[in-house]
Amino acid sequence: MKRNLLILLASAGISVAGLTEASAQNENSTLSPDTLRGIALWGNKSHQNNQDSGSNKENETFLSGAEGINSKNLTLPAQENFPAGNRNPEEGTHAGGSPSANRGQDIPAAATGMEPGWNPGTPESGPQTPTTNASIPAQQASTKDESEVSYVPRVDGAVKAKLEVSLNDGEYRFNVRNTRFGVSGNVSRNMFYRIQVDFNNEGKLSILDSYAGYRTGGLDIRLGQQQYHFSTDLDRGPTASLFANRSFIAKYLTSYYGSELSGDKISHYVKTLGSRDLGIMGTYTFTKQVPLKLFLGLFNGSGINNPSWNNKINIIGRVEFGRAEGFRAAASYYNGSAPRHAFVVERDGVSSQEELNQKMNMVGAELHYVTGGFFIEGEYARRYLKTKVDNDDILNTTMTAALIHSYYRFEMPRRFVMSYIAPMVRWDLGNNMDYLNTANTVRETVDANRITVGINFGFGKKLVNSEIRLNYEKYFLKERPGDFSKNKLLQDKFTLEVVAAF
């Protein structure tokens, strides 16, 4: 015991002598609190190990390390001399490093790359005792694993309000396009849910998403009302759309018009499949080394909020290859029927109303590229509508739509009122788009090209969430519809829009 005490006193004396000599070389240098704490921790660990083992090896290591210390450039001991849980990579405690702005904050294990169960500790509190799953009973470990899944619902929503001015006659209107509110979360480790409602979907309340899902590994299965993921731009809602008005693909690809008898007159009306349906969707995402994602879905084909009985089923298949950053390509195929509805069919000069299942096939392809603040994307889609009335050119139609859009995001200085400015441009076309003449309720088709130029002023770090937008739309029509002067749908416009999403 006396021998160990003498060795310890000798070690402390040599350490102090080394520090004194180093200080004499640079009288203006002082040891920082982090340096003193590191020396103390190292010495305490060395002394403790010496007591446990009865060996002088640790003391020899400590002495040799102390001899190389000077007050100007302190080299901390090797990482293995500290418990792994007490080193926080974000704190900059390596030699020559500087403490980060997060000093003193608790950082989750996942964020630091540490194994679950380690407490990173803080510089102020000193080292914390690590606790691993191996040191607690199996039942407690299971409880801990369950607690790693958050069951707190995540709330989201968006409001899109705008002022539109027709450049054809100067008329204007204020409009709230969307008022969405959603909630999602976990009910167990693998099961989750999603609910979303739009309180002002063109003046109507509409339930959008309502599904439950199960996820394990790369497999994700969802049952309920959801997007069927035929097209990226078709899926974009108010929190992802880059422009004030939707593209022709998003607006017209799944919309068409039917007719019915009202007394002795034919009345036309809008029918749409939309971007959502009731059904089951499964996706499988491969490993990071293979950036491939597969989609397969089975749906009613009746559109949202319409759980109709049917003897046919709609199938959607999609393949995505690539990552969000860089190039990504996708191809989609949809086969099934449009929502069942009535048609007025004329045979031998007699008009009659029949309830038909109209066959619907769609094919689509996409390619996009993202790097830094630059984004460009192109889409192509083709839709086939066909009924059992083979020679009816009105009911049997083929529509083609395409788009190319791009933006570049310019980051603003940190203390600037805006976070970024993003100029946008889009070209899209639609051939044989279904159009309802509002003057006489007669179905027509339209061929159009459009160029949209805009600039988005962002007030948050994330694109779209907090923006003021200015958009100018220029239409190029092959032939104007009969109600062009009254219906502002295809008129050149200027739009001021505000998007607030959370």
Side-chain angles (χ1 to χ4, degrees):
M1 187 69 181
K2 291 181 179 181
R3 182 171 176 271
N4 290 339
L5 181 59
L6 290 174
I7 291 173
L8 180 60
L9 290 174
S11 300
I14 294 173
S15 300
V16 172
L19 293 175
T20 304
E21 180 181 353
S23 299
Q25 296 175 4
N26 189 352
E27 295 180 356
N28 295 328
S29 300
T30 58
L31 292 176
S32 68
D34 284 346
T35 301
L36 294 175
R37 181 171 59 84
I39 295 172
L41 290 175
W42 193 20
N44 289 341
K45 177 176 177 62
S46 183
H47 177 58
Q48 181 64 44
N49 290 339
N50 183 53
Q51 285 184 334
D52 294 338
S53 64
S55 169
N56 293 331
K57 185 177 294 185
E58 292 292 337
N59 278 335
E60 292 170 2
T61 303
F62 175 60
L63 292 175
S64 62
E67 290 172 358
I69 295 176
N70 63 70
S71 59
K72 184 175 182 180
N73 185 14
L74 174 68
T75 302
L76 291 181
Q79 183 172 352
E80 57 267 20
N81 287 331
F82 283 111
N86 294 325
R87 291 191 62 84
N88 184 351
E90 299 295 331
E91 292 178 359
T93 54
H94 296 285
S98 60
S100 74
N102 292 329
R103 178 181 294 274
Q105 298 179 359
D106 290 332
I107 301 177
T112 60
M114 301 176 188
E115 296 180 2
W118 289 90
N119 183 346
T122 64
E124 290 75 16
S125 62
Q128 305 293 318
T129 303
T131 303
T132 63
N133 291 337
S135 63
I136 58 178
Q139 183 177 1
Q140 295 181 15
S142 175
T143 304
K144 179 176 179 56
D145 290 340
E146 284 292 328
S147 67
E148 292 175 2
V149 178
S150 174
Y151 300 102
V152 178
R154 296 179 295 275
V155 176
D156 61 273
V159 175
K160 289 183 67 175
K162 56 186 177 181
L163 165 65
E164 298 173 284
V165 180
S166 169
L167 301 181
N168 183 60
D169 55 16
E171 292 187 350
Y172 72 92
R173 70 172 180 177
F174 292 99
N175 183 21
V176 177
R177 178 62 181 83
N178 300 102
T179 305
R180 294 193 179 186
F181 183 83
V183 61
S184 58
N186 299 307
V187 292
S188 67
R189 170 167 292 278
N190 299 100
M191 187 168 286
F192 56 94
Y193 63 92
R194 168 70 170 163
I195 301 169
Q196 184 180 200
V197 177
D198 197 326
F199 293 94
N200 190 18
N201 185 3
E202 297 182 338
K204 300 178 182 178
L205 188 148
S206 178
I207 297 176
L208 301 178
D209 296 319
S210 181
Y211 61 81
Y214 182 85
R215 183 184 294 119
T216 177
L219 181 64
D220 184 302
I221 301 175
R222 306 178 182 190
L223 178 64
Q225 183 162 286
Q226 58 190 297
Q227 291 179 322
Y228 50 86
H229 302 301
F230 173 79
S231 158
T232 297
D233 207 61
L234 182 63
D235 285 351
R236 286 190 173 109
T239 59
S241 180
L242 305 175
F243 296 88
N245 290 320
R246 293 174 292 168
S247 67
F248 289 157
I249 286 180
K251 185 172 180 65
Y252 294 103
L253 185 65
T254 60
S255 296
Y256 55 96
Y257 295 90
S259 59
E260 59 187 7
L261 283 174
S262 179
D264 58 348
K265 295 182 179 180
I266 300 175
S267 175
H268 293 260
Y269 56 96
V270 178
K271 295 295 292 184
T272 182
L273 176 65
S275 64
R276 289 174 170 84
D277 203 348
L278 287 155
I280 184 169
M281 169 65 77
T283 65
Y284 188 83
T285 305
F286 287 77
T287 62
K288 293 182 179 180
Q289 290 74 22
V290 182
L292 180 65
K293 188 173 184 179
L294 305 178
F295 298 72
L296 180 62
L298 304 176
F299 291 88
N300 283 343
S302 55
I304 66 172
N305 305 316
N306 186 18
S308 63
W309 292 93
N310 208 333
N311 57 5
K312 296 184 179 180
I313 196 163
N314 289 21
I315 300 175
I316 169 71
R318 179 178 172 88
V319 179
E320 291 181 0
F321 184 82
R323 297 179 174 86
E325 187 78 10
F327 282 102
R328 189 185 71 186
S332 304
Y333 177 71
Y334 185 99
N335 181 277
S337 299
R340 180 185 296 230
H341 58 282
F343 271 116
V344 176
V345 181
E346 186 174 334
R347 292 189 178 92
D348 300 327
V350 179
S351 295
S352 62
Q353 182 171 302
E354 297 183 7
E355 190 174 77
L356 303 174
N357 265 332
Q358 191 169 19
K359 187 174 179 60
M360 174 183 280
N361 289 338
M362 296 189 294
V363 293
E366 307 170 20
L367 181 64
H368 91 193
Y369 177 73
V370 179
T371 179
F374 177 72
F375 163 90
I376 186 168
E377 182 178 72
E379 279 200 45
Y380 171 87
R382 194 170 178 87
R383 182 199 71 189
Y384 305 88
L385 281 176
K386 183 178 177 62
T387 70
K388 62 184 180 181
V389 186
D390 296 330
N391 59 351
D392 195 321
D393 294 333
I394 295 179
L395 299 182
N396 302 318
T397 62
T398 300
M399 174 193 166
T400 302
L403 70 85
I404 299 176
H405 56 187
S406 180
Y407 70 79
Y408 191 88
R409 173 172 168 160
F410 294 93
E411 300 292 339
M412 294 294 101
R414 183 175 179 181
R415 296 186 181 277
F416 199 67
V417 65
M418 288 175 289
S419 298
Y420 62 85
I421 296 177
M424 310 268 182
V425 62
R426 176 180 66 191
W427 166 83
D428 58 343
L429 71 85
N431 291 332
N432 210 29
M433 299 184 298
D434 282 273
Y435 179 87
L436 183 64
N437 189 316
T438 56
N440 53 17
T441 65
V442 173
R443 174 189 176 275
E444 300 180 16
T445 59
V446 174
D447 295 338
N449 283 260
R450 175 178 61 179
I451 292 192
T452 306
V453 179
I455 183 167
N456 295 5
F457 302 96
F459 298 89
K461 293 182 179 180
K462 189 176 179 181
L463 195 72
V464 177
N465 278 24
S466 176
E467 286 187 348
I468 294 178
R469 301 171 170 180
L470 300 176
N471 280 190
Y472 167 70
E473 294 179 345
K474 176 65 178 178
Y475 287 84
F476 301 91
L477 303 175
K478 184 176 180 180
E479 185 176 345
R480 290 186 174 185
D483 64 343
F484 179 81
S485 59
K486 294 183 178 181
N487 191 340
K488 304 291 191 294
L489 189 62
L490 300 177
Q491 294 182 6
D492 298 346
K493 297 183 189 66
F494 173 80
T495 305
L496 167 66
E497 183 178 61
V498 177
V499 180
F502 58 91

